Coordinates of all heavy atoms in Angstrom, one line a residue:
M1 N 0.8 -1.2 0.0 CA 0.0 0.0 0.0 C 0.9 1.3 0.0 O 0.5 2.3 -0.5 CB -0.9 0.0 1.2 CG -2.1 0.9 1.1 SD -3.4 0.3 2.1 CE -4.5 1.6 2.0
A2 N 2.1 1.2 0.6 CA 3.0 2.4 0.6 C 3.5 2.7 -0.8 O 3.9 3.8 -1.0 CB 4.1 2.1 1.5
D3 N 3.5 1.8 -1.7 CA 3.9 2.0 -3.1 C 2.9 2.6 -4.0 O 3.2 3.0 -5.1 CB 4.4 0.7 -3.7 CG 5.6 0.1 -3.0 OD1 6.4 0.9 -2.4 OD2 5.9 -1.1 -3.1
E4 N 1.6 2.8 -3.5 CA 0.6 3.3 -4.3 C 0.8 4.9 -4.5 O 1.3 5.5 -3.5 CB -0.8 3.1 -3.7 CG -1.2 1.6 -3.7 CD -2.6 1.5 -3.0 OE1 -3.3 2.5 -2.9 OE2 -2.8 0.3 -2.6
P5 N 0.5 5.4 -5.6 CA 0.6 6.9 -5.8 C -0.4 7.6 -4.8 O -1.5 7.0 -4.5 CB 0.2 7.1 -7.2 CG -0.5 5.9 -7.7 CD -0.1 4.8 -6.8
E6 N 0.0 8.8 -4.4 CA -0.9 9.5 -3.5 C -2.2 10.0 -4.3 O -2.2 10.1 -5.5 CB -0.2 10.8 -3.0 CG 0.9 10.5 -2.0 CD 1.3 11.7 -1.2 OE1 0.4 12.4 -0.7 OE2 2.5 12.0 -1.2
N7 N -3.2 10.1 -3.5 CA -4.5 10.5 -4.0 C -4.4 11.9 -4.6 O -3.9 12.8 -3.9 CB -5.5 10.4 -2.9 CG -6.9 10.7 -3.3 OD1 -7.1 11.4 -4.3 ND2 -7.8 10.3 -2.5
R8 N -4.8 12.2 -5.8 CA -4.7 13.5 -6.4 C -5.5 14.6 -5.6 O -5.0 15.7 -5.5 CB -5.2 13.5 -7.8 CG -4.3 12.7 -8.8 CD -4.7 13.0 -10.2 NE -3.8 12.3 -11.2 CZ -2.7 12.9 -11.7 NH1 -2.4 14.1 -11.3 NH2 -2.0 12.2 -12.5
V9 N -6.6 14.2 -5.1 CA -7.4 15.1 -4.3 C -6.6 15.5 -3.1 O -6.6 16.7 -2.7 CB -8.8 14.5 -3.9 CG1 -9.5 15.4 -3.0 CG2 -9.6 14.2 -5.2
L10 N -6.0 14.5 -2.4 CA -5.2 14.8 -1.2 C -4.0 15.8 -1.6 O -3.7 16.7 -0.8 CB -4.7 13.6 -0.6 CG -3.9 13.7 0.7 CD1 -4.8 14.3 1.8 CD2 -3.5 12.3 1.2
I11 N -3.4 15.6 -2.7 CA -2.3 16.5 -3.1 C -2.8 17.9 -3.3 O -2.2 18.9 -2.9 CB -1.7 15.9 -4.4 CG1 -0.9 14.6 -4.1 CG2 -0.7 16.9 -5.0 CD1 -0.5 13.9 -5.4
M12 N -3.9 18.0 -4.0 CA -4.5 19.3 -4.2 C -4.9 20.0 -2.9 O -4.7 21.2 -2.8 CB -5.7 19.3 -5.2 CG -5.4 18.8 -6.6 SD -4.2 19.9 -7.4 CE -5.1 21.4 -7.5
L13 N -5.5 19.2 -2.0 CA -5.9 19.8 -0.7 C -4.7 20.3 0.1 O -4.8 21.4 0.7 CB -6.7 18.8 0.1 CG -8.1 18.5 -0.4 CD1 -8.7 17.4 0.4 CD2 -9.0 19.7 -0.3
R14 N -3.6 19.6 0.0 CA -2.4 20.0 0.7 C -1.9 21.3 0.1 O -1.4 22.2 0.8 CB -1.3 19.0 0.6 CG -1.6 17.8 1.5 CD -0.5 16.7 1.4 NE -0.8 15.6 2.3 CZ -0.5 14.4 2.0 NH1 0.2 14.0 0.9 NH2 -0.8 13.4 2.8
K15 N -1.9 21.4 -1.2 CA -1.5 22.7 -1.9 C -2.4 23.9 -1.5 O -1.9 24.9 -1.2 CB -1.5 22.5 -3.4 CG -0.4 21.7 -4.0 CD -0.4 21.5 -5.5 CE 0.7 20.7 -6.0 NZ 0.6 20.6 -7.5
I16 N -3.7 23.6 -1.5 CA -4.6 24.7 -1.0 C -4.4 25.1 0.4 O -4.4 26.2 0.7 CB -6.1 24.2 -1.2 CG1 -6.4 24.0 -2.7 CG2 -7.1 25.1 -0.5 CD1 -7.8 23.4 -3.0
D17 N -4.1 24.1 1.2 CA -3.8 24.4 2.6 C -2.6 25.2 2.8 O -2.5 26.2 3.6 CB -3.7 23.0 3.4 CG -3.6 23.3 4.9 OD1 -4.4 24.0 5.5 OD2 -2.7 22.6 5.5
A18 N -1.5 24.9 2.0 CA -0.3 25.7 2.1 C -0.6 27.1 1.6 O 0.0 28.1 2.2 CB 0.8 25.0 1.2
R19 N -1.3 27.3 0.6 CA -1.7 28.6 0.1 C -2.5 29.4 1.1 O -2.2 30.6 1.3 CB -2.4 28.6 -1.3 CG -1.6 28.1 -2.4 CD -2.4 28.1 -3.7 NE -1.6 27.6 -4.8 CZ -2.0 27.2 -6.0 NH1 -3.3 27.2 -6.2 NH2 -1.2 26.8 -6.9
L20 N -3.4 28.8 1.7 CA -4.2 29.4 2.8 C -3.3 29.9 3.9 O -3.5 30.9 4.5 CB -5.3 28.5 3.2 CG -6.5 28.4 2.3 CD1 -7.5 27.4 2.9 CD2 -7.2 29.7 2.1
D21 N -2.3 29.0 4.3 CA -1.4 29.4 5.3 C -0.6 30.7 5.0 O -0.5 31.6 5.8 CB -0.4 28.3 5.6 CG -1.0 27.2 6.4 OD1 -2.1 27.4 7.0 OD2 -0.4 26.1 6.5
R22 N -0.1 30.7 3.7 CA 0.6 31.9 3.3 C -0.3 33.2 3.2 O 0.1 34.2 3.6 CB 1.2 31.7 1.9 CG 2.4 30.8 1.9 CD 3.2 30.8 0.6 NE 2.4 30.6 -0.6 CZ 2.2 29.4 -1.1 NH1 2.7 28.3 -0.6 NH2 1.4 29.3 -2.2
F23 N -1.5 33.0 2.8 CA -2.5 34.0 2.7 C -2.8 34.6 4.1 O -2.9 35.8 4.4 CB -3.8 33.6 2.1 CG -4.9 34.6 2.0 CD1 -4.8 35.6 1.1 CD2 -6.0 34.5 2.9 CE1 -5.8 36.6 1.0 CE2 -7.0 35.5 2.8 CZ -6.9 36.5 1.9
G24 N -2.9 33.6 5.1 CA -3.2 34.1 6.5 C -2.0 34.9 7.0 O -2.2 35.9 7.7
D25 N -0.8 34.4 6.7 CA 0.4 35.2 7.2 C 0.4 36.6 6.5 O 0.7 37.6 7.2 CB 1.7 34.5 6.8 CG 1.9 33.2 7.6 OD1 1.2 33.0 8.6 OD2 2.6 32.3 7.1
E26 N 0.1 36.7 5.3 CA 0.1 38.0 4.6 C -1.0 38.9 5.2 O -0.8 40.1 5.3 CB -0.1 37.8 3.1 CG 1.2 37.2 2.4 CD 0.9 36.9 0.9 OE1 0.0 37.5 0.4 OE2 1.7 36.2 0.4
L27 N -2.1 38.3 5.5 CA -3.2 39.1 6.0 C -2.8 39.6 7.4 O -3.1 40.8 7.7 CB -4.5 38.2 6.1 CG -5.7 38.9 6.6 CD1 -6.1 40.1 5.7 CD2 -6.9 37.9 6.7
H28 N -2.2 38.8 8.2 CA -1.7 39.2 9.5 C -0.7 40.4 9.4 O -0.8 41.4 10.1 CB -1.1 38.1 10.3 CG -0.4 38.5 11.5 ND1 -1.1 38.8 12.7 CD2 0.9 38.7 11.9 CE1 -0.3 39.2 13.6 NE2 0.9 39.1 13.2
N29 N 0.2 40.3 8.4 CA 1.2 41.4 8.2 C 0.5 42.7 7.8 O 0.8 43.7 8.2 CB 2.2 41.0 7.2 CG 3.1 39.9 7.6 OD1 3.3 39.7 8.8 ND2 3.7 39.1 6.7
L30 N -0.5 42.6 6.9 CA -1.3 43.7 6.5 C -2.0 44.4 7.7 O -2.1 45.6 7.8 CB -2.2 43.4 5.4 CG -1.7 43.1 4.0 CD1 -2.7 42.6 3.1 CD2 -1.1 44.4 3.5
K31 N -2.6 43.6 8.5 CA -3.3 44.1 9.7 C -2.3 44.9 10.6 O -2.6 46.0 11.1 CB -3.9 43.0 10.5 CG -5.2 42.4 9.9 CD -5.8 41.4 10.8 CE -7.1 40.8 10.2 NZ -7.7 39.8 11.0
V32 N -1.1 44.3 10.8 CA -0.1 45.0 11.6 C 0.3 46.3 11.0 O 0.4 47.4 11.7 CB 1.1 44.1 11.8 CG1 2.3 44.9 12.5 CG2 0.8 42.9 12.7
R33 N 0.5 46.3 9.7 CA 0.9 47.5 9.0 C -0.2 48.6 9.0 O 0.0 49.8 9.2 CB 1.3 47.2 7.5 CG 2.6 46.4 7.4 CD 2.9 46.0 6.0 NE 3.1 47.1 5.2 CZ 3.2 47.0 3.9 NH1 3.1 45.9 3.3 NH2 3.4 48.1 3.1
M34 N -1.5 48.1 8.9 CA -2.6 49.1 8.9 C -2.7 49.7 10.3 O -3.0 50.9 10.5 CB -3.9 48.4 8.6 CG -4.1 48.2 7.1 SD -4.1 49.8 6.2 CE -5.5 50.6 6.9
S35 N -2.4 48.9 11.4 CA -2.4 49.5 12.7 C -1.4 50.6 12.9 O -1.7 51.6 13.5 CB -2.1 48.4 13.8 OG -3.1 47.4 13.8
F36 N -0.2 50.4 12.3 CA 0.8 51.5 12.3 C 0.4 52.7 11.5 O 0.6 53.9 12.0 CB 2.2 51.0 11.8 CG 2.9 50.1 12.7 CD1 3.3 48.8 12.3 CD2 3.2 50.5 14.0 CE1 4.0 48.0 13.1 CE2 3.8 49.6 14.9 CZ 4.2 48.4 14.4
V37 N -0.3 52.5 10.4 CA -0.8 53.6 9.6 C -1.9 54.4 10.4 O -1.9 55.6 10.4 CB -1.4 53.1 8.3 CG1 -2.2 54.2 7.5 CG2 -0.3 52.6 7.4
E38 N -2.8 53.6 11.0 CA -3.8 54.3 11.8 C -3.3 55.1 13.0 O -3.7 56.2 13.3 CB -4.8 53.2 12.3 CG -5.7 52.7 11.3 CD -6.5 51.5 11.8 OE1 -6.2 50.9 12.8 OE2 -7.5 51.1 11.1
E39 N -2.2 54.5 13.6 CA -1.6 55.3 14.7 C -0.9 56.5 14.2 O -1.0 57.6 14.8 CB -0.5 54.4 15.4 CG -1.1 53.3 16.3 CD -0.1 52.3 16.8 OE1 1.1 52.7 16.8 OE2 -0.5 51.2 17.3
G40 N -0.3 56.4 13.1 CA 0.4 57.6 12.4 C -0.6 58.7 12.1 O -0.4 59.9 12.3
L41 N -1.8 58.3 11.5 CA -2.8 59.2 11.2 C -3.4 59.9 12.4 O -3.7 61.1 12.4 CB -3.9 58.6 10.3 CG -3.5 58.3 8.9 CD1 -4.7 57.5 8.3 CD2 -3.2 59.5 8.1
G42 N -3.5 59.1 13.5 CA -3.9 59.7 14.7 C -3.0 60.8 15.2 O -3.4 61.9 15.7
G43 N -1.7 60.6 15.1 CA -0.7 61.6 15.5 C -0.8 62.8 14.6 O -0.7 63.9 15.1
V44 N -1.0 62.6 13.3 CA -1.1 63.7 12.4 C -2.3 64.6 12.8 O -2.3 65.8 12.8 CB -1.2 63.3 10.9 CG1 -1.6 64.4 10.0 CG2 0.2 62.7 10.5
S45 N -3.4 63.9 13.0 CA -4.6 64.6 13.4 C -4.4 65.4 14.7 O -4.9 66.6 14.7 CB -5.8 63.6 13.6 OG -6.9 64.2 14.0
R46 N -3.8 64.8 15.7 CA -3.5 65.6 16.9 C -2.7 66.8 16.6 O -2.9 67.9 17.2 CB -2.9 64.7 18.0 CG -3.8 63.7 18.6 CD -3.2 62.9 19.7 NE -2.1 62.1 19.3 CZ -2.2 60.9 18.8 NH1 -3.4 60.3 18.7 NH2 -1.1 60.2 18.5
R47 N -1.7 66.7 15.8 CA -0.8 67.8 15.5 C -1.5 68.9 14.7 O -1.4 70.1 15.0 CB 0.4 67.3 14.6 CG 1.4 66.5 15.5 CD 2.6 66.1 14.7 NE 3.4 67.4 14.5 CZ 4.5 67.5 13.8 NH1 4.9 66.4 13.1 NH2 5.2 68.6 13.7
L48 N -2.4 68.5 13.8 CA -3.2 69.5 13.1 C -4.1 70.2 14.0 O -4.4 71.4 13.9 CB -4.0 68.8 12.0 CG -3.2 68.4 10.7 CD1 -4.1 67.6 9.7 CD2 -2.5 69.6 10.1
D49 N -4.7 69.5 15.0 CA -5.6 70.2 16.0 C -4.8 71.2 16.8 O -5.3 72.3 17.0 CB -6.2 69.1 16.9 CG -7.2 68.3 16.3 OD1 -7.7 68.6 15.2 OD2 -7.5 67.2 16.9
R50 N -3.6 70.9 17.1 CA -2.7 71.9 17.9 C -2.4 73.0 17.0 O -2.4 74.2 17.5 CB -1.4 71.2 18.4 CG -1.7 70.3 19.6 CD -0.4 69.9 20.3 NE 0.7 69.4 19.4 CZ 1.0 68.2 19.3 NH1 0.4 67.2 19.9 NH2 2.0 67.9 18.5
V51 N -2.1 72.8 15.7 CA -1.7 73.9 14.8 C -2.9 74.8 14.7 O -2.8 76.0 14.7 CB -1.3 73.3 13.4 CG1 -1.2 74.4 12.4 CG2 0.1 72.7 13.6
E52 N -4.1 74.2 14.5 CA -5.3 75.0 14.4 C -5.6 75.9 15.6 O -5.9 77.0 15.5 CB -6.5 74.1 14.1 CG -7.8 74.9 13.8 CD -9.0 74.0 13.5 OE1 -8.9 72.8 13.7 OE2 -10.0 74.5 13.1
S53 N -5.4 75.3 16.7 CA -5.6 76.0 18.0 C -4.6 77.2 18.1 O -4.9 78.3 18.5 CB -5.4 75.1 19.2 OG -5.4 75.8 20.4
R54 N -3.3 76.9 17.7 CA -2.3 78.0 17.7 C -2.6 79.1 16.7 O -2.5 80.3 17.0 CB -0.9 77.4 17.5 CG -0.5 76.5 18.7 CD 0.8 75.9 18.4 NE 1.9 76.9 18.4 CZ 3.1 76.7 18.1 NH1 3.5 75.5 17.6 NH2 4.0 77.7 18.1
L55 N -3.1 78.7 15.5 CA -3.5 79.6 14.5 C -4.6 80.5 15.0 O -4.6 81.7 14.8 CB -3.9 78.9 13.2 CG -4.2 79.8 12.0 CD1 -3.1 80.7 11.7 CD2 -4.7 78.9 10.9
D56 N -5.6 79.9 15.7 CA -6.7 80.7 16.2 C -6.2 81.7 17.2 O -6.6 82.9 17.2 CB -7.7 79.8 16.9 CG -8.6 79.0 16.0 OD1 -8.6 79.3 14.7 OD2 -9.2 78.0 16.4
H57 N -5.3 81.3 18.0 CA -4.7 82.2 19.0 C -3.9 83.3 18.4 O -4.1 84.5 18.8 CB -3.7 81.4 20.0 CG -3.1 82.2 21.0 ND1 -3.8 82.7 22.1 CD2 -1.8 82.7 21.1 CE1 -2.9 83.3 22.9 NE2 -1.7 83.4 22.3
I58 N -3.2 83.0 17.4 CA -2.4 84.1 16.6 C -3.4 85.0 16.0 O -3.1 86.3 16.0 CB -1.5 83.4 15.6 CG1 -0.3 82.7 16.3 CG2 -0.9 84.4 14.6 CD1 0.5 81.8 15.4
E59 N -4.4 84.6 15.3 CA -5.3 85.4 14.6 C -6.0 86.4 15.6 O -6.2 87.5 15.4 CB -6.4 84.6 13.9 CG -5.9 83.9 12.7 CD -6.9 83.0 12.0 OE1 -7.9 82.6 12.7 OE2 -6.8 82.8 10.8
K60 N -6.3 85.9 16.8 CA -6.9 86.7 17.8 C -6.0 87.8 18.3 O -6.3 88.9 18.5 CB -7.4 85.9 19.0 CG -8.7 85.0 18.7 CD -9.0 84.2 19.9 CE -10.2 83.3 19.5 NZ -10.5 82.3 20.6
R61 N -4.7 87.4 18.5 CA -3.7 88.3 19.0 C -3.4 89.4 18.0 O -3.1 90.5 18.3 CB -2.4 87.6 19.3 CG -2.4 86.6 20.4 CD -2.2 87.2 21.8 NE -1.0 88.1 21.8 CZ 0.1 87.9 22.5 NH1 0.2 86.8 23.2 NH2 1.0 88.9 22.6
L62 N -3.5 89.1 16.7 CA -3.3 90.1 15.6 C -4.6 90.8 15.3 O -4.6 91.6 14.3 CB -2.7 89.4 14.4 CG -1.3 88.8 14.6 CD1 -0.9 88.0 13.3 CD2 -0.3 89.9 14.9
D63 N -5.6 90.5 15.9 CA -7.0 91.1 15.7 C -7.4 90.9 14.2 O -7.9 91.8 13.5 CB -6.9 92.7 15.9 CG -6.8 93.0 17.4 OD1 -7.4 92.2 18.2 OD2 -6.2 94.0 17.7
L64 N -7.2 89.7 13.7 CA -7.6 89.3 12.4 C -9.0 88.7 12.4 O -9.6 88.6 11.4 CB -6.6 88.3 11.8 CG -5.2 88.8 11.6 CD1 -4.3 87.6 11.1 CD2 -5.2 90.0 10.6
V65 N -9.5 88.4 13.6 CA -10.8 87.8 13.7 C -11.5 88.5 14.9 O -10.8 89.0 15.8 CB -10.9 86.3 13.9 CG1 -10.4 85.6 12.6 CG2 -10.1 85.9 15.1
E66 N -12.8 88.4 14.9 CA -13.5 88.9 16.1 C -13.4 87.9 17.2 O -13.3 86.7 17.0 CB -15.0 89.1 15.7 CG -15.3 90.1 14.7 CD -15.0 91.5 15.1 OE1 -15.2 91.9 16.3 OE2 -14.5 92.3 14.3
P67 N -13.3 88.4 18.4 CA -13.1 87.5 19.6 C -14.1 86.4 19.7 O -13.9 85.3 20.2 CB -13.1 88.4 20.8 CG -12.8 89.7 20.3 CD -13.3 89.8 18.8
H68 N -15.4 86.6 19.3 CA -16.4 85.7 19.5 C -16.5 84.6 18.3 O -17.3 83.8 18.3 CB -17.8 86.4 19.5 CG -18.2 87.1 18.3 ND1 -17.6 88.3 17.9 CD2 -19.0 86.8 17.3 CE1 -18.2 88.7 16.8 NE2 -19.0 87.8 16.4
Q69 N -15.6 84.7 17.3 CA -15.6 83.8 16.2 C -14.6 82.6 16.4 O -13.7 82.5 15.7 CB -15.2 84.5 14.9 CG -16.3 85.5 14.4 CD -15.9 86.1 13.1 OE1 -14.7 86.1 12.8 NE2 -16.8 86.7 12.4
G70 N -14.8 81.9 17.4 CA -13.9 80.8 17.7 C -14.2 79.5 17.0 O -13.4 78.6 16.9
F71 N -15.4 79.4 16.4 CA -15.8 78.2 15.7 C -15.4 78.3 14.2 O -15.6 79.3 13.5 CB -17.3 78.0 15.8 CG -17.8 76.8 15.0 CD1 -17.6 75.5 15.5 CD2 -18.4 76.9 13.8 CE1 -18.1 74.4 14.9 CE2 -18.9 75.9 13.1 CZ -18.7 74.6 13.7
R72 N -14.7 77.3 13.7 CA -14.3 77.2 12.3 C -15.2 76.2 11.6 O -15.5 75.2 12.1 CB -12.9 76.8 12.1 CG -11.9 77.8 12.5 CD -10.5 77.2 12.2 NE -9.5 78.2 12.6 CZ -8.8 78.8 11.7 NH1 -8.9 78.5 10.4 NH2 -7.9 79.7 12.1
E73 N -15.5 76.5 10.4 CA -16.4 75.6 9.6 C -15.5 74.7 8.7 O -14.5 75.1 8.2 CB -17.4 76.3 8.7 CG -18.4 77.0 9.6 CD -19.5 77.6 8.8 OE1 -19.8 77.2 7.7 OE2 -20.1 78.6 9.3

C-alpha cells in the first residue's frame, strides 16, 4: 500500500492548505501595517488640531478675527 501513488485530491488539498497558510500570514502582516498607519494618522490629526488652536490664538492676537468667532467651519 505504501507503493501506491498519492491521491490527487489529497495532493490538491495540501497545496490549497499551504496557500491558505501563506494568505493568512500575509493578512496578519497587512493588519499589523494598517495598525501602524492608523496610529500615524492619529498623530497627524492631533498635530493638526494643535496647529489650528495655535493659529486661532495668533489670529486673535493680531486682531484678524472677532473674539467671538472661535468656531471654524
Side-chain angles (χ1 to χ4, degrees):
M1 199 155 172
D3 294 335
E4 292 181 21
E6 285 196 56
N7 185 339
R8 289 191 180 270
V9 174
L10 185 57
I11 292 170
M12 293 302 294
L13 288 174
R14 286 181 181 148
K15 287 181 181 181
I16 291 170
D17 188 45
R19 288 180 181 168
L20 285 176
D21 284 343
R22 286 194 308 269
F23 178 75
D25 291 343
E26 290 177 17
L27 183 61
H28 173 74
N29 290 338
L30 286 172
K31 285 181 177 182
V32 169
R33 291 174 64 191
M34 281 302 298
S35 294
F36 286 125
V37 168
E38 289 171 343
E39 289 174 15
L41 286 176
V44 168
S45 179
R46 286 187 296 276
R47 290 186 71 185
L48 287 175
D49 288 344
R50 285 196 311 258
V51 168
E52 184 177 11
S53 174
R54 293 177 70 189
L55 181 59
D56 287 342
H57 180 75
I58 291 168
E59 287 175 339
K60 287 177 186 176
R61 296 273 314 244
L62 295 175
D63 291 327
L64 297 176
V65 294
E66 296 294 323
H68 66 282
Q69 291 181 342
F71 179 76
R72 288 181 179 251
E73 293 185 28

